[in-house]
Amino acid sequence: MNIKPKKSLGQNFLIDRDILNLIVSTCDVANKEILEIGPGTGNLTTYILKNKPKKLYVIEKDDELAILLREKFENEAIIINNDILKIDENKISDQKLTVFGNLPYNVSTEILSKWIINVGKTFWFESLVLMFQKEVADRIIAESNNSKYGRLSILTSWKLNVKKIIDIKPQSFSPRPKIDSSLLLFTPKENFFELKNAKNLEMITRVFFSQRRKMLKKPFNQIFMNAKDVAQKFNINLNLRPQNLEPEIYFKLTKEYEDLRG
Ligand code: SAM
């Protein structure tokens, strides 16, 4: 079958063998249940299968590619022809999954945010090995006091440990994207800060980081009626900027907001 890559689905296929090998060596695959997101023409799928997983699920939105994948991997993988954003990841398997994904750039942050937000007390995955555009990966891993630190870094560090594995150049893909990519490894945190509703953390970080150059006074007054008391309780200097506060402070502020609202 002659496949013409679809830009709308972010189809840049990995062709670099060293990178494909590196991706599958990032986590144990042998005897594990694996989920691959957006397998495309199956380049990474082939490398995953070489490492003898116990079971392999792949989720591909493109109908044409799903047909190709069924032909190629009929007896080796469970092909799910669907949109990852519409799938309840908790229902894929009753085992913890190791997830690989060379994600379509236009939905990569949405997928990651959905997974973080939907995790209840127990994680449905053991690890995530995901590719992002480098600029997004840098925002995910940024720590406080860095200009790239923001909502995505805080949301990620709420529930996940993250490590950059490697940056990848456009030449490793076909067709070549215009930008560099980065491979990240995420593992669940053993304990994470309990909040009533992740939406409150999203709202609070949105208010703070939509005015990231302003002093903390302004967002504090927008969110809390008793802004000064809250700042004092957590020992926060309101003349600082949003990027100066550690993720932990944002979790505490969210909890305070939830407690004050009852
Ligand atoms: N993994 C392959 C590789 O590395 O060669 C392909 C990666 S390509 C960047 C992204 C893949 O995700 C494409 O095959 C695309 O059709 C698929 N895709 C795009 N949006 C998707 C979605 N919402 N759910 C599932 N798959 C999606």
Side-chain angles (χ1 to χ4, degrees):
M1 200 188 295
N2 200 5
I3 300 287
K4 190 169 178 288
K6 299 182 182 71
K7 232 182 172 174
S8 62
L9 289 173
Q11 292 179 353
N12 301 97
F13 303 117
L14 254 175
I15 50 166
D16 183 329
R17 289 177 187 189
D18 292 337
I19 298 293
L20 286 160
N21 257 322
L22 177 73
I23 295 177
V24 287
S25 65
T26 303
C27 277
D28 288 341
V29 171
N31 290 319
K32 297 271 183 189
E33 291 212 0
I34 309 290
L35 168 66
E36 188 191 353
I37 310 298
T41 49
N43 298 358
L44 183 59
T45 321
T46 305
Y47 278 72
I48 294 172
L49 286 168
K50 270 194 216 165
N51 285 272
K52 308 248 176 299
K54 184 167 161 198
K55 219 171 193 178
L56 171 61
Y57 302 88
V58 305
I59 300 179
E60 175 55 63
K61 183 175 174 183
D62 187 327
D63 300 341
E64 226 183 326
L65 287 177
I67 295 173
L68 174 102
L69 292 162
R70 285 208 174 100
E71 282 168 10
K72 248 181 163 173
F73 303 110
E74 204 190 350
N75 300 315
E76 295 167 292
I78 297 155
I79 320 282
I80 303 166
N81 181 198
N82 206 337
D83 181 337
I84 181 62
L85 290 166
K86 295 193 180 141
I87 285 199
D88 179 351
E89 45 284 333
N90 290 292
K91 295 204 173 126
I92 298 172
S93 169
D94 52 10
Q95 303 282 305
K96 285 200 191 236
L97 297 166
T98 297
V99 183
F100 290 95
N102 171 9
L103 300 179
Y105 293 139
N106 50 350
V107 288
S108 61
T109 50
E110 201 178 336
I111 295 170
L112 181 68
S113 305
K114 172 182 174 243
W115 288 348
I116 295 171
I117 288 165
N118 285 355
V119 160
K121 280 209 165 38
T122 52
F123 285 82
W124 58 274
F125 56 85
E126 207 170 274
S127 42
L128 309 172
V129 183
L130 303 176
M131 181 108 70
F132 293 88
Q133 55 195 101
K134 182 174 179 301
E135 177 269 330
V136 172
D138 288 344
R139 286 197 279 126
I140 293 172
I141 60 176
E143 293 183 354
S144 54
N145 297 315
N146 180 307
S147 63
K148 292 186 176 146
Y149 174 72
R151 301 185 64 200
L152 207 47
S153 353
I154 293 166
L155 188 66
T156 304
S157 78
W158 179 27
K159 293 186 186 171
L160 301 174
N161 301 304
V162 55
K163 186 172 137 192
K164 186 187 271 194
I165 305 295
I166 193 172
D167 290 328
I168 304 169
K169 291 279 171 208
Q171 299 84 281
S172 296
F173 301 87
S174 173
R176 289 184 186 187
K178 291 199 174 71
I179 38 155
D180 287 354
S181 307
S182 302
L183 186 69
L184 301 182
L185 167 66
F186 303 84
T187 49
K189 284 198 167 163
E190 271 179 32
N191 295 304
F192 61 86
F193 205 100
E194 249 183 73
L195 294 173
K196 280 188 196 147
N197 191 339
K199 286 207 162 61
N200 292 324
L201 177 63
E202 289 194 297
M203 181 280 290
I204 287 196
T205 54
R206 184 169 56 245
V207 173
F208 276 81
F209 284 91
S210 62
Q211 30 201 349
R212 62 182 303 142
R213 278 175 235 290
K214 297 258 163 53
M215 281 191 273
L216 291 170
K217 260 181 225 145
K218 197 163 173 235
F220 252 85
N221 282 322
Q222 270 174 267
I223 293 165
F224 298 106
M225 303 248 284
N226 52 342
K228 272 199 180 139
D229 297 340
V230 176
Q232 217 166 24
K233 178 170 176 183
F234 296 107
N235 210 5
I236 296 168
N237 173 354
L238 290 180
N239 295 325
L240 295 174
R241 309 272 189 273
Q243 74 182 44
N244 303 124
L245 300 185
E246 302 278 321
E248 195 69 19
I249 299 282
Y250 284 103
F251 310 149
K252 286 183 180 160
L253 289 175
T254 305
K255 178 150 192 316
E256 182 71 10
Y257 172 82
E258 290 180 340
D259 291 347
L260 288 169
R261 296 188 90 206

